[in-house]
Amino acid sequence: MKVVLQNLTKIFPSRDKKSNQEVVAVNDFSFEIPDGKLIGLLGPSGCGKSTTLYMISGLQKPTSGKIFFGDDDVTELSTENRGIGLVFQNYALYPHMTVKQNILFPLENLKGKDKLTKEEKLERAKSAAKLVQIDELMDRKPNELSGGQQQRVAIARALVKMPRVLLLDEPLSNLDARLRLQTREEIRRIQKETGITTVFVTHDQEEAMSISDMIVVMKLGVLQQIGKPQDVYDNPVNLFVAKFLGTPPINVFNGAVKDGKLYIGDAAVLETPGVADQEVTVGIRPEGFELEADGALECQLSNVEVMGRDVSIVTTHPASCNVTIRSIIDADCKVDVTATSVRYNLKPHKVFIFNKETEERIYF
Amino acid sequence: MVDTRKQWKAWLYLSPAIVLLLIFTVWPIFNTIRLSLMEGYNSTMAANPYVDYEFPFGLGNFTRVLEYPNFLTCLKNTVLLCVITVPISTLLALLIAVGLHSIKFLQKPLQTIFFMPYVTNSIAIGMVFAAMFNMVIGGSTRPDSVGIVNNILEALGFDYINWTNAGSSYGANLAVMVVYIVWNALPFKILVLLGGLQGINKQYYEAARVDGTKKSRVLWRITVPLLSPMLAYVIITGFIGGFKEYSSIVGIFGDTMGPAGNPYRMDTMVGFIYRAIGKQEGTASAAALILFGIIFVVTMINLAVSKKKTHY
Ligand SMILES: Nc1ncnc2c1ncn2[C@@H]1O[C@H](COP(=O)(O)OP(=O)(O)O)[C@@H](O)[C@H]1O
Ligand SMILES: [Mg+2]
């Protein structure tokens, strides 16, 4: 089921009457989720991800704009008629019901022609439980389960009525780091197996990048960029997206373009043909540095961290916006750890320049 | 371990409360047990400076209570009122609390209105109720005033009912008491249940909505189970309060505790105890201990049931 959001906007009225501060939680959102894909809705906390998800689910009504499932306009359709499965951030499993009862609950609400016999319900519940590998735990109560198991139950409960769209609100945020890795693979597997169009909300860029077919980056309710994770990483449209994606994060410098050359400090580090002379913000990915004895950019060496396959070189530079600059280079390159400075050449496709005021990308 | 000096400090800080408890709780309990075992104890006789009565030790007071003709009436009324009013008031309070919780408009003023009985003197409420149900007989054939309840019945095309006056039926008396006690019991229950409702995570309801759960199903399958600890509390305290019913009956029927011509028809255990005070303290003490025993057993049963039925 393809999902289309058209100029979707959600405005919350101000909480107290004195300050007339309305919150534009989602601002003129338009994008299309292709059928059967998993898309990651990504942005910092409070940027309107949950609100977007709740509007898709029908739990919240958009202030304006439209939502389509396939060719059907579902904007006015109530949530129970949309055929969605929703997994809440803290799972919202009914604490007084066993796992089995939790999973059966949505099926028991079906009425009319969708009504199932007792055996059919049990069959469906069992296969949903099997899919998320909790079929051993059917008679436990939620408080007798680990976080990861609860999370699976929540997914099984969302999947059991065979939704057209599966919505997950930060489903991994309550899990510890190891379980998070494992569970996100699991979600990916389940999504692939079922082929259900899935929206996955997270503030963790690594999580979104690793499992999504497409990511949607948002900031303060405004869509910044949408695309395949690698494409967005390789081609951020603005400084925010560039900074938000990637671990370690991108290194940011104050720079300037003069006579078709990019300067960081006094060093001309790149050719930037066709760019008008101006002050710019420069972003360089950690993997965009190449150690070179006569490299253009000289940085003060503070630390070298060997991480097996790679070496991470921590340096400083007066023009850097961050305290330290972190570059990642192949472990084969020999670094003289006693030196006071290192020199780099830059890989052009790992260097992005941005307008100083608007922070929009300047292409060269 | 807390060291000894600190313990002394703790005892020192607790001492005012302990002294008060000893005087007003522990000693009376002890004294009640003592008096209940002194056969035929009577404070007037005991206070007589000229005669030194010896009250024999034994269970005579208890057998006297049980043999007293009015005692069974008291027991029956008390149990009947409890068994009828607690379920009704609990169910009503649940529905009202759920209703109040789900509305935004007028929620606060309605809350205040439902809370009024809690802060109003129960005798005063009783008098208002008595007036609402009372017939004031003036002439020989037709009453001058029949009370607002009968006015409503009349408007609906029913006959008057003699609720509380001379010649009224036991059923009518009981009905008035049930209405009054239920109404009086609502505010506390609503307050507790509303507090419980506010503590339930909204996401359970959102999850239920996504799954298209019917409202009634949400109430019985989600709200009630999640509220079950509060419900158990409200029911148990309701039974304890119910067994101590007294002032409500005085409020409606006066201290004859029954309609004119039929005194003590609505008498209760506490009424029995009160009347024995000043005459037969030994009997009163025995009756108080019997009441305590009943409440204790009922509460234990309640707790045992609620342990099974309340969730998580
Ligand atoms: N019910 C609401 N009433 C008012 N403001 C809200 C409400 N829900 C969310 N908001 C505001 O909308 C913005 C986006 O919230 P949300 O979608 O929850 O962000 P995210 O899920 O990305 O962290 C926040 O500024 C939040 O304070
Ligand atoms: Mg959120």
Side-chain angles (χ1 to χ4, degrees), chain B residues 199-218:
Chain B
I200 297 178
N201 191 337
K202 259 191 10 229
Q203 292 207 323
Y204 296 131
Y205 295 108
E206 290 182 341
R209 240 176 86 201
V210 169
D211 295 335
T213 320
K214 281 201 313 247
K215 279 228 169 68
S216 59
R217 222 170 109 78
V218 172

Side-chain angles (χ1 to χ4, degrees), chain B residues 17-297:
Chain B
I18 289 175
V19 167
L20 289 175
L21 275 174
L22 282 175
I23 297 175
F24 292 109
T25 307
V26 178
W27 167 245
I29 291 174
F30 172 77
N31 204 27
T32 306
I33 296 172
R34 189 177 70 96
L35 294 184
S36 74
L37 294 171
M38 293 165 71
E39 284 185 10
Y41 180 90
N42 165 329
S43 59
T44 335
M45 280 157 74
N48 187 335
Y50 303 108
V51 190
D52 198 10
Y53 282 104
E54 279 288 330
F55 300 104
F57 177 84
L59 295 174
N61 288 329
F62 290 90
T63 48
R64 259 172 83 174
V65 169
L66 298 177
E67 282 163 6
Y68 196 76
N70 205 24
F71 180 75
L72 275 186
T73 316
C74 296
L75 190 60
K76 182 189 77 179
N77 286 334
T78 307
V79 170
L80 214 51
L81 287 175
C82 260
V83 169
I84 299 174
T85 59
V86 171
I88 296 179
S89 61
T90 305
L91 188 68
L92 276 180
L94 174 68
L95 296 178
I96 292 171
V98 168
L100 274 179
H101 186 61
S102 64
I103 56 170
K104 284 207 181 72
F105 183 65
L106 282 184
Q107 188 188 32
K108 286 275 137 55
L110 282 174
Q111 247 173 31
T112 310
I113 289 172
F114 280 114
F115 201 62
M116 288 294 277
Y118 198 65
V119 291
T120 313
N121 179 295
S122 71
I123 301 278
I125 298 173
M127 288 164 78
V128 173
F129 263 75
M132 279 165 58
F133 284 98
N134 206 11
M135 284 197 211
V136 179
I137 316 240
S140 53
T141 49
R142 215 192 113 80
D144 290 345
S145 152
V146 293
I148 194 169
V149 174
N150 275 334
N151 287 332
I152 293 170
L153 283 182
E154 185 184 29
L156 295 174
F158 293 99
D159 276 344
Y160 300 143
I161 291 174
N162 184 352
W163 293 106
T164 60
N165 292 94
S168 55
S169 67
Y170 179 73
N173 295 168
L174 197 65
V176 173
M177 286 320 305
V178 166
V179 172
Y180 168 77
I181 292 171
V182 165
W183 184 74
N184 203 16
L186 281 179
F188 174 71
K189 293 191 163 82
I190 293 174
L191 193 74
V192 171
L193 296 180
L194 208 53
L197 284 173
Q198 272 149 7
I200 297 178
N201 191 337
K202 259 191 10 229
Q203 292 207 323
Y204 296 131
Y205 295 108
E206 290 182 341
R209 240 176 86 201
V210 169
D211 295 335
T213 320
K214 281 201 313 247
K215 279 228 169 68
S216 59
R217 222 170 109 78
V218 172
L219 179 64
W220 296 115
R221 289 290 308 274
I222 298 175
T223 306
V224 167
L226 291 178
L227 216 50
S228 53
M230 297 337 145
L231 283 168
Y233 173 71
V234 151
I235 289 171
I236 291 171
T237 54
F239 268 105
I240 293 174
F243 275 107
K244 296 193 295 186
E245 212 58 73
Y246 169 65
S247 62
S248 56
I249 296 166
V250 172
I252 297 224
F253 291 101
D255 53 12
T256 59
M257 304 196 78
N262 219 335
Y264 305 115
R265 181 155 77 181
M266 299 308 291
D267 203 357
T268 61
M269 297 285 289
V270 173
F272 182 91
I273 294 166
Y274 271 159
R275 257 172 299 102
I277 293 175
K279 295 180 231 142
Q280 293 289 338
E281 280 86 356
T283 315
S285 300
L289 288 178
I290 292 174
L291 178 60
F292 170 77
I294 295 174
I295 293 180
F296 184 78
V297 169

Side-chain angles (χ1 to χ4, degrees), chain A residues 54 58-59 79-80 84 86 88 90 92-97 105-106 108-109 111 157 161, chain B residues 201 203-214 217-218 221-223 225-226 311-312:
Chain A
Y54 287 159
L59 282 174
T79 172
E80 65 266 26
I84 54 121
L86 180 56
F88 292 89
N90 50 9
L93 296 175
Y94 306 121
H96 54 287
M97 298 184 198
F105 194 82
E108 283 161 1
N109 293 326
K111 46 190 177 235
R157 185 176 68 177
K161 42 180 189 168
Chain B
N201 191 337
Q203 292 207 323
Y204 296 131
Y205 295 108
E206 290 182 341
R209 240 176 86 201
V210 169
D211 295 335
T213 320
K214 281 201 313 247
R217 222 170 109 78
V218 172
R221 289 290 308 274
I222 298 175
T223 306
L226 291 178
H311 302 279
Y312 72 103

Side-chain angles (χ1 to χ4, degrees), chain A residues 297-316:
Chain A
L297 184 65
E298 182 180 24
C299 299
Q300 268 40 65
L301 183 65
S302 41
N303 200 6
V304 177
E305 295 166 10
V306 183
M307 305 180 297
R309 194 162 41 84
D310 299 322
V311 175
S312 173
I313 305 179
V314 182
T315 56
T316 58

Side-chain angles (χ1 to χ4, degrees), chain A residues 139-261:
Chain A
D139 293 318
R140 299 239 197 128
K141 291 265 179 76
N143 63 4
E144 297 162 346
L145 301 177
S146 72
Q149 290 166 334
Q150 290 184 30
Q151 151 65 246
R152 286 154 193 252
V153 178
I155 294 177
R157 185 176 68 177
L159 286 176
V160 74
K161 42 180 189 168
M162 305 184 178
R164 300 194 283 177
V165 180
L166 180 63
L167 307 169
L168 304 149
D169 190 3
E170 311 226 12
L172 307 180
S173 59
N174 289 342
L175 305 181
D176 64 52
R178 203 177 55 85
L179 210 52
R180 202 149 52 210
L181 274 177
Q182 196 181 330
T183 313
R184 79 184 190 205
E185 301 305 324
E186 200 79 336
I187 290 177
R188 184 59 171 154
R189 173 185 67 79
I190 295 163
Q191 194 272 333
K192 281 234 172 85
E193 267 180 55
T194 55
I196 295 178
T197 310
T198 302
V199 183
F200 180 101
V201 162
T202 176
H203 63 264
D204 181 338
Q205 53 90 21
E206 209 180 324
E207 206 167 281
M209 304 255 290
S210 64
I211 70 168
S212 309
D213 293 311
M214 265 182 14
I215 56 172
V216 177
V217 186
M218 41 190 306
K219 171 195 178 187
L220 294 174
V222 182
L223 191 150
Q224 305 290 309
Q225 193 168 0
I226 176 167
K228 292 207 178 86
Q230 196 61 47
D231 293 348
V232 177
Y233 180 82
D234 288 339
N235 254 317
V237 296
N238 59 32
L239 183 60
F240 173 82
V241 176
K243 275 177 162 171
F244 200 74
L245 297 185
T247 32
I250 196 162
N251 301 291
V252 183
F253 297 83
N254 290 313
V257 173
K258 237 183 314 183
D259 307 325
K261 283 199 182 71

Side-chain angles (χ1 to χ4, degrees), chain A residues 265-334:
Chain A
D266 297 329
V269 292
L270 267 188
E271 302 276 332
T272 53
V275 179
D277 290 3
Q278 59 187 304
E279 302 267 299
V280 292
T281 304
V282 187
I284 307 171
R285 292 278 181 214
E287 65 275 22
F289 297 89
E290 277 177 316
L291 272 182
E292 204 77 57
D294 56 352
L297 184 65
E298 182 180 24
C299 299
Q300 268 40 65
L301 183 65
S302 41
N303 200 6
V304 177
E305 295 166 10
V306 183
M307 305 180 297
R309 194 162 41 84
D310 299 322
V311 175
S312 173
I313 305 179
V314 182
T315 56
T316 58
H317 190 278
S320 171
C321 298
N322 313 99
V323 180
T324 56
I325 303 153
R326 192 175 279 272
S327 67
I328 296 191
I329 57 168
D330 204 88
D332 295 342
C333 297
K334 291 281 166 281

